[in-house]
CSV table of all heavy atoms in Angstrom, one decimal:
chain,number,residue,atom,x,y,z
R,37,PRO,N,-15.7,16.9,-31.6
R,37,PRO,CA,-14.9,17.2,-30.5
R,37,PRO,C,-14.8,16.1,-29.4
R,37,PRO,O,-14.0,16.3,-28.5
R,37,PRO,CB,-15.5,18.5,-30.0
R,37,PRO,CG,-16.9,18.5,-30.4
R,37,PRO,CD,-16.9,17.7,-31.7
R,38,SER,N,-15.7,15.1,-29.5
R,38,SER,CA,-15.7,14.1,-28.5
R,38,SER,C,-14.7,13.0,-28.7
R,38,SER,O,-14.6,12.1,-27.9
R,38,SER,CB,-17.2,13.5,-28.4
R,38,SER,OG,-17.5,12.8,-29.5
R,39,GLU,N,-14.0,13.0,-29.9
R,39,GLU,CA,-13.0,12.0,-30.2
R,39,GLU,C,-11.7,12.4,-29.6
R,39,GLU,O,-11.0,13.4,-30.1
R,39,GLU,CB,-13.0,11.8,-31.7
R,39,GLU,CG,-11.9,10.8,-32.1
R,39,GLU,CD,-12.0,9.5,-31.4
R,39,GLU,OE1,-13.0,8.8,-31.4
R,39,GLU,OE2,-10.9,9.1,-30.8
R,40,PRO,N,-11.2,11.8,-28.6
R,40,PRO,CA,-9.9,12.2,-27.9
R,40,PRO,C,-8.7,12.1,-28.8
R,40,PRO,O,-7.7,12.9,-28.6
R,40,PRO,CB,-9.8,11.3,-26.7
R,40,PRO,CG,-10.6,10.1,-27.1
R,40,PRO,CD,-11.7,10.6,-27.9
R,41,ALA,N,-8.6,11.2,-29.8
R,41,ALA,CA,-7.5,11.0,-30.6
R,41,ALA,C,-7.1,12.2,-31.4
R,41,ALA,O,-5.9,12.5,-31.6
R,41,ALA,CB,-7.7,9.8,-31.5
R,42,TYR,N,-8.2,13.0,-31.8
R,42,TYR,CA,-7.9,14.2,-32.6
R,42,TYR,C,-7.1,15.2,-31.8
R,42,TYR,O,-6.1,15.8,-32.2
R,42,TYR,CB,-9.2,14.8,-33.1
R,42,TYR,CG,-10.1,13.9,-33.9
R,42,TYR,CD1,-11.4,14.1,-33.9
R,42,TYR,CD2,-9.5,12.8,-34.6
R,42,TYR,CE1,-12.3,13.2,-34.6
R,42,TYR,CE2,-10.4,11.9,-35.3
R,42,TYR,CZ,-11.7,12.2,-35.3
R,42,TYR,OH,-12.6,11.2,-36.0
R,43,TRP,N,-7.6,15.4,-30.5
R,43,TRP,CA,-6.9,16.3,-29.6
R,43,TRP,C,-5.5,15.8,-29.2
R,43,TRP,O,-4.6,16.6,-29.1
R,43,TRP,CB,-7.7,16.5,-28.4
R,43,TRP,CG,-9.1,17.1,-28.7
R,43,TRP,CD1,-10.3,16.5,-28.6
R,43,TRP,CD2,-9.4,18.5,-29.0
R,43,TRP,NE1,-11.4,17.3,-28.9
R,43,TRP,CE2,-10.8,18.6,-29.2
R,43,TRP,CE3,-8.6,19.6,-29.3
R,43,TRP,CZ2,-11.4,19.7,-29.5
R,43,TRP,CZ3,-9.3,20.8,-29.7
R,43,TRP,CH2,-10.7,20.9,-29.8
R,44,SER,N,-5.4,14.5,-29.0
R,44,SER,CA,-4.1,13.9,-28.6
R,44,SER,C,-3.1,14.1,-29.7
R,44,SER,O,-1.9,14.5,-29.5
R,44,SER,CB,-4.3,12.5,-28.3
R,44,SER,OG,-3.1,11.9,-27.9
R,45,ASN,N,-3.5,13.8,-31.0
R,45,ASN,CA,-2.6,14.0,-32.1
R,45,ASN,C,-2.2,15.5,-32.3
R,45,ASN,O,-1.0,15.8,-32.6
R,45,ASN,CB,-3.2,13.5,-33.4
R,45,ASN,CG,-3.4,12.0,-33.3
R,45,ASN,OD1,-3.0,11.3,-32.4
R,45,ASN,ND2,-3.9,11.4,-34.4
R,46,MET,N,-3.1,16.3,-32.1
R,46,MET,CA,-2.8,17.8,-32.2
R,46,MET,C,-1.9,18.2,-31.1
R,46,MET,O,-0.9,19.0,-31.4
R,46,MET,CB,-4.2,18.6,-31.9
R,46,MET,CG,-4.2,20.0,-32.4
R,46,MET,SD,-5.7,20.9,-31.9
R,46,MET,CE,-6.9,19.8,-32.6
R,47,ALA,N,-2.0,17.7,-29.9
R,47,ALA,CA,-1.1,18.0,-28.8
R,47,ALA,C,0.3,17.5,-29.1
R,47,ALA,O,1.3,18.2,-28.9
R,47,ALA,CB,-1.5,17.3,-27.5
R,48,ALA,N,0.4,16.3,-29.8
R,48,ALA,CA,1.7,15.7,-30.2
R,48,ALA,C,2.4,16.6,-31.2
R,48,ALA,O,3.6,16.8,-31.1
R,48,ALA,CB,1.5,14.4,-30.8
R,49,CYS,N,1.6,17.3,-32.1
R,49,CYS,CA,2.2,18.2,-33.1
R,49,CYS,C,2.7,19.5,-32.4
R,49,CYS,O,3.8,19.9,-32.7
R,49,CYS,CB,1.2,18.6,-34.1
R,49,CYS,SG,0.7,17.2,-35.2
R,50,TYR,N,1.9,20.0,-31.4
R,50,TYR,CA,2.3,21.2,-30.7
R,50,TYR,C,3.6,20.9,-29.9
R,50,TYR,O,4.5,21.8,-29.8
R,50,TYR,CB,1.2,21.7,-29.8
R,50,TYR,CG,0.2,22.4,-30.4
R,50,TYR,CD1,-1.2,22.0,-30.3
R,50,TYR,CD2,0.4,23.6,-31.3
R,50,TYR,CE1,-2.2,22.7,-31.0
R,50,TYR,CE2,-0.6,24.3,-31.8
R,50,TYR,CZ,-1.9,23.9,-31.7
R,50,TYR,OH,-2.9,24.6,-32.4
R,51,GLU,N,3.8,19.7,-29.4
R,51,GLU,CA,5.0,19.3,-28.7
R,51,GLU,C,6.2,19.4,-29.7
R,51,GLU,O,7.3,19.9,-29.4
R,51,GLU,CB,4.9,18.0,-28.1
R,51,GLU,CG,6.2,17.5,-27.4
R,51,GLU,CD,6.1,16.1,-26.8
R,51,GLU,OE1,5.1,15.4,-27.1
R,51,GLU,OE2,7.0,15.8,-26.0
R,52,LYS,N,6.0,18.9,-30.9
R,52,LYS,CA,7.1,18.9,-31.9
R,52,LYS,C,7.6,20.3,-32.3
R,52,LYS,O,8.7,20.5,-32.5
R,52,LYS,CB,6.6,18.2,-33.2
R,52,LYS,CG,6.4,16.7,-33.1
R,52,LYS,CD,7.7,15.9,-32.9
R,52,LYS,CE,7.5,14.4,-32.9
R,52,LYS,NZ,8.8,13.7,-32.7
R,53,ILE,N,6.6,21.3,-32.3
R,53,ILE,CA,7.0,22.7,-32.7
R,53,ILE,C,7.3,23.5,-31.4
R,53,ILE,O,7.6,24.7,-31.5
R,53,ILE,CB,6.0,23.3,-33.5
R,53,ILE,CG1,4.7,23.4,-32.9
R,53,ILE,CG2,5.9,22.6,-34.9
R,53,ILE,CD1,3.6,24.2,-33.7
R,54,GLY,N,7.3,22.9,-30.2
R,54,GLY,CA,7.7,23.6,-29.0
R,54,GLY,C,6.6,24.5,-28.5
R,54,GLY,O,7.0,25.5,-27.7
R,55,ASN,N,5.4,24.4,-28.9
R,55,ASN,CA,4.3,25.4,-28.5
R,55,ASN,C,3.5,24.6,-27.3
R,55,ASN,O,2.5,24.0,-27.5
R,55,ASN,CB,3.3,25.7,-29.6
R,55,ASN,CG,2.4,26.8,-29.2
R,55,ASN,OD1,2.1,27.0,-28.0
R,55,ASN,ND2,1.8,27.4,-30.2
R,56,TYR,N,4.1,24.8,-26.1
R,56,TYR,CA,3.6,24.0,-25.0
R,56,TYR,C,2.3,24.5,-24.4
R,56,TYR,O,1.5,23.8,-23.8
R,56,TYR,CB,4.6,23.8,-23.9
R,56,TYR,CG,5.9,23.1,-24.4
R,56,TYR,CD1,7.1,23.8,-24.6
R,56,TYR,CD2,5.8,21.8,-24.8
R,56,TYR,CE1,8.2,23.2,-25.1
R,56,TYR,CE2,7.0,21.2,-25.3
R,56,TYR,CZ,8.1,21.9,-25.5
R,56,TYR,OH,9.2,21.2,-26.0
R,57,GLU,N,2.0,25.8,-24.6
R,57,GLU,CA,0.8,26.4,-24.1
R,57,GLU,C,-0.4,25.8,-24.9
R,57,GLU,O,-1.4,25.3,-24.3
R,57,GLU,CB,0.7,27.9,-24.3
R,57,GLU,CG,1.6,28.7,-23.3
R,57,GLU,CD,3.1,28.8,-23.8
R,57,GLU,OE1,3.4,28.2,-24.9
R,57,GLU,OE2,3.9,29.4,-23.1
R,58,GLU,N,-0.2,25.7,-26.3
R,58,GLU,CA,-1.3,25.1,-27.1
R,58,GLU,C,-1.3,23.6,-26.9
R,58,GLU,O,-2.4,23.0,-26.9
R,58,GLU,CB,-1.0,25.4,-28.5
R,58,GLU,CG,-1.3,26.9,-28.9
R,58,GLU,CD,-2.7,27.3,-28.7
R,58,GLU,OE1,-3.6,26.4,-28.8
R,58,GLU,OE2,-3.0,28.5,-28.5
R,59,MET,N,-0.2,23.0,-26.6
R,59,MET,CA,-0.2,21.5,-26.3
R,59,MET,C,-1.0,21.2,-25.1
R,59,MET,O,-1.8,20.3,-25.0
R,59,MET,CB,1.3,21.1,-26.0
R,59,MET,CG,1.4,19.6,-25.8
R,59,MET,SD,3.1,19.1,-25.4
R,59,MET,CE,2.8,17.3,-25.2
R,60,ALA,N,-0.8,22.1,-24.0
R,60,ALA,CA,-1.6,21.9,-22.8
R,60,ALA,C,-3.1,22.1,-23.1
R,60,ALA,O,-3.9,21.3,-22.6
R,60,ALA,CB,-1.2,22.9,-21.7
R,61,SER,N,-3.5,23.1,-23.9
R,61,SER,CA,-4.9,23.3,-24.2
R,61,SER,C,-5.5,22.1,-24.9
R,61,SER,O,-6.6,21.7,-24.6
R,61,SER,CB,-5.0,24.6,-25.0
R,61,SER,OG,-6.3,24.8,-25.4
R,62,ALA,N,-4.7,21.6,-26.0
R,62,ALA,CA,-5.2,20.5,-26.7
R,62,ALA,C,-5.3,19.2,-25.8
R,62,ALA,O,-6.3,18.4,-25.9
R,62,ALA,CB,-4.3,20.2,-27.9
R,63,SER,N,-4.4,19.1,-24.9
R,63,SER,CA,-4.4,17.9,-24.0
R,63,SER,C,-5.6,18.0,-23.0
R,63,SER,O,-6.3,17.0,-22.7
R,63,SER,CB,-3.2,17.9,-23.2
R,63,SER,OG,-2.0,17.7,-24.0
R,64,GLN,N,-5.9,19.2,-22.6
R,64,GLN,CA,-7.1,19.4,-21.7
R,64,GLN,C,-8.4,19.0,-22.4
R,64,GLN,O,-9.3,18.4,-21.9
R,64,GLN,CB,-7.1,20.8,-21.2
R,64,GLN,CG,-6.0,21.1,-20.1
R,64,GLN,CD,-5.8,22.6,-19.8
R,64,GLN,OE1,-6.2,23.4,-20.6
R,64,GLN,NE2,-5.2,22.9,-18.7
R,65,ASN,N,-8.4,19.4,-23.7
R,65,ASN,CA,-9.6,19.1,-24.5
R,65,ASN,C,-9.7,17.6,-24.7
R,65,ASN,O,-10.8,17.0,-24.8
R,65,ASN,CB,-9.6,19.8,-25.9
R,65,ASN,CG,-10.0,21.3,-25.7
R,65,ASN,OD1,-10.9,21.6,-25.0
R,65,ASN,ND2,-9.3,22.1,-26.5
R,66,CYS,N,-8.5,16.9,-24.8
R,66,CYS,CA,-8.5,15.5,-25.0
R,66,CYS,C,-9.1,14.8,-23.7
R,66,CYS,O,-9.9,13.9,-23.8
R,66,CYS,CB,-7.0,15.1,-25.2
R,66,CYS,SG,-6.8,13.3,-25.3
R,67,ILE,N,-8.7,15.3,-22.6
R,67,ILE,CA,-9.2,14.7,-21.3
R,67,ILE,C,-10.7,15.0,-21.2
R,67,ILE,O,-11.5,14.1,-20.7
R,67,ILE,CB,-8.4,15.3,-20.1
R,67,ILE,CG1,-6.9,14.9,-20.2
R,67,ILE,CG2,-9.1,14.9,-18.8
R,67,ILE,CD1,-6.0,15.6,-19.2
R,68,LYS,N,-11.1,16.2,-21.6
R,68,LYS,CA,-12.5,16.5,-21.5
R,68,LYS,C,-13.3,15.6,-22.4
R,68,LYS,O,-14.5,15.2,-22.1
R,68,LYS,CB,-12.7,18.0,-21.9
R,68,LYS,CG,-14.1,18.5,-21.9
R,68,LYS,CD,-14.2,20.0,-22.2
R,68,LYS,CE,-15.6,20.5,-22.2
R,68,LYS,NZ,-15.7,21.9,-22.6
R,69,ALA,N,-12.8,15.2,-23.6
R,69,ALA,CA,-13.5,14.4,-24.5
R,69,ALA,C,-13.6,13.0,-23.9
R,69,ALA,O,-14.7,12.3,-24.1
R,69,ALA,CB,-12.7,14.3,-25.8
R,70,ASP,N,-12.6,12.5,-23.2
R,70,ASP,CA,-12.7,11.1,-22.7
R,70,ASP,C,-11.7,11.0,-21.5
R,70,ASP,O,-10.5,10.9,-21.8
R,70,ASP,CB,-12.4,10.1,-23.8
R,70,ASP,CG,-12.6,8.7,-23.3
R,70,ASP,OD1,-12.9,8.5,-22.1
R,70,ASP,OD2,-12.4,7.7,-24.1
R,71,LYS,N,-12.2,11.0,-20.3
R,71,LYS,CA,-11.3,10.9,-19.2
R,71,LYS,C,-10.6,9.6,-19.1
R,71,LYS,O,-9.6,9.5,-18.3
R,71,LYS,CB,-12.1,11.2,-17.9
R,71,LYS,CG,-12.5,12.7,-17.7
R,71,LYS,CD,-13.2,12.9,-16.4
R,71,LYS,CE,-13.4,14.4,-16.1
R,71,LYS,NZ,-14.3,15.0,-17.2
R,72,ALA,N,-11.1,8.5,-19.7
R,72,ALA,CA,-10.5,7.2,-19.7
R,72,ALA,C,-9.3,7.1,-20.7
R,72,ALA,O,-8.6,6.1,-20.7
R,72,ALA,CB,-11.5,6.1,-20.0
R,73,PHE,N,-9.2,8.1,-21.5
R,73,PHE,CA,-8.1,8.1,-22.5
R,73,PHE,C,-6.8,8.6,-21.8
R,73,PHE,O,-6.6,9.8,-21.8
R,73,PHE,CB,-8.5,9.0,-23.7
R,73,PHE,CG,-7.6,8.9,-25.0
R,73,PHE,CD1,-7.8,7.9,-25.8
R,73,PHE,CD2,-6.6,9.8,-25.2
R,73,PHE,CE1,-7.0,7.8,-27.0
R,73,PHE,CE2,-5.8,9.7,-26.3
R,73,PHE,CZ,-6.0,8.7,-27.2
R,74,VAL,N,-6.1,7.7,-21.3
R,74,VAL,CA,-4.9,8.1,-20.4
R,74,VAL,C,-3.9,8.9,-21.1
R,74,VAL,O,-3.2,9.7,-20.4
R,74,VAL,CB,-4.3,6.8,-19.8
R,74,VAL,CG1,-3.2,7.1,-18.9
R,74,VAL,CG2,-5.4,6.1,-18.9
R,75,LYS,N,-3.7,8.7,-22.4
R,75,LYS,CA,-2.7,9.5,-23.1
R,75,LYS,C,-2.9,11.0,-23.0
R,75,LYS,O,-1.9,11.8,-23.0
R,75,LYS,CB,-2.7,9.0,-24.6
R,75,LYS,CG,-1.5,9.6,-25.3
R,75,LYS,CD,-1.4,9.1,-26.8
R,75,LYS,CE,-1.1,7.6,-26.9
R,75,LYS,NZ,-0.9,7.2,-28.3
R,76,GLY,N,-4.1,11.4,-22.8
R,76,GLY,CA,-4.4,12.8,-22.6
R,76,GLY,C,-3.7,13.4,-21.4
R,76,GLY,O,-3.2,14.5,-21.4
R,77,PHE,N,-3.7,12.6,-20.3
R,77,PHE,CA,-3.0,13.0,-19.0
R,77,PHE,C,-1.6,13.1,-19.3
R,77,PHE,O,-0.9,14.0,-18.7
R,77,PHE,CB,-3.4,12.1,-17.9
R,77,PHE,CG,-4.8,12.1,-17.5
R,77,PHE,CD1,-5.7,11.1,-17.9
R,77,PHE,CD2,-5.3,13.1,-16.7
R,77,PHE,CE1,-7.0,11.2,-17.5
R,77,PHE,CE2,-6.6,13.1,-16.2
R,77,PHE,CZ,-7.5,12.2,-16.7
R,78,PHE,N,-1.0,12.1,-20.0
R,78,PHE,CA,0.4,12.1,-20.3
R,78,PHE,C,0.8,13.3,-21.1
R,78,PHE,O,1.9,14.0,-20.8
R,78,PHE,CB,0.8,10.8,-21.0
R,78,PHE,CG,2.3,10.7,-21.2
R,78,PHE,CD1,3.2,10.3,-20.2
R,78,PHE,CD2,2.8,11.0,-22.4
R,78,PHE,CE1,4.6,10.2,-20.4
R,78,PHE,CE2,4.2,10.9,-22.7
R,78,PHE,CZ,5.0,10.5,-21.7
R,79,ARG,N,0.0,13.6,-22.1
R,79,ARG,CA,0.3,14.8,-23.0
R,79,ARG,C,0.3,16.1,-22.1
R,79,ARG,O,1.1,16.9,-22.2
R,79,ARG,CB,-0.7,14.9,-24.1
R,79,ARG,CG,-0.8,13.7,-25.0
R,79,ARG,CD,0.1,13.9,-26.2
R,79,ARG,NE,-0.2,12.9,-27.3
R,79,ARG,CZ,0.7,12.2,-27.9
R,79,ARG,NH1,2.0,12.3,-27.6
R,79,ARG,NH2,0.4,11.4,-28.8
R,80,LEU,N,-0.8,16.3,-21.3
R,80,LEU,CA,-0.9,17.4,-20.5
R,80,LEU,C,0.3,17.6,-19.5
R,80,LEU,O,0.9,18.7,-19.3
R,80,LEU,CB,-2.3,17.4,-19.7
R,80,LEU,CG,-2.5,18.6,-18.8
R,80,LEU,CD1,-2.4,20.0,-19.6
R,80,LEU,CD2,-3.9,18.5,-18.1
R,81,ALA,N,0.6,16.5,-18.9
R,81,ALA,CA,1.7,16.5,-17.9
R,81,ALA,C,3.1,16.9,-18.6
R,81,ALA,O,3.9,17.6,-18.1
R,81,ALA,CB,1.9,15.1,-17.2
Side-chain angles (χ1 to χ4, degrees):
S38 67
E39 174 53 55
Y42 306 152
W43 299 108
S44 178
N45 291 0
M46 197 187 306
C49 290
Y50 282 123
E51 181 181 9
K52 290 291 186 180
I53 62 177
N55 189 337
Y56 299 113
E57 289 86 358
E58 290 297 334
M59 182 186 182
S61 178
S63 302
Q64 287 165 342
N65 283 323
C66 178
I67 294 168
K68 184 179 178 181
D70 185 356
K71 288 184 172 63
F73 192 81
V74 177
K75 190 176 286 186
F77 293 100
F78 183 80
R79 300 268 194 227
L80 178 56

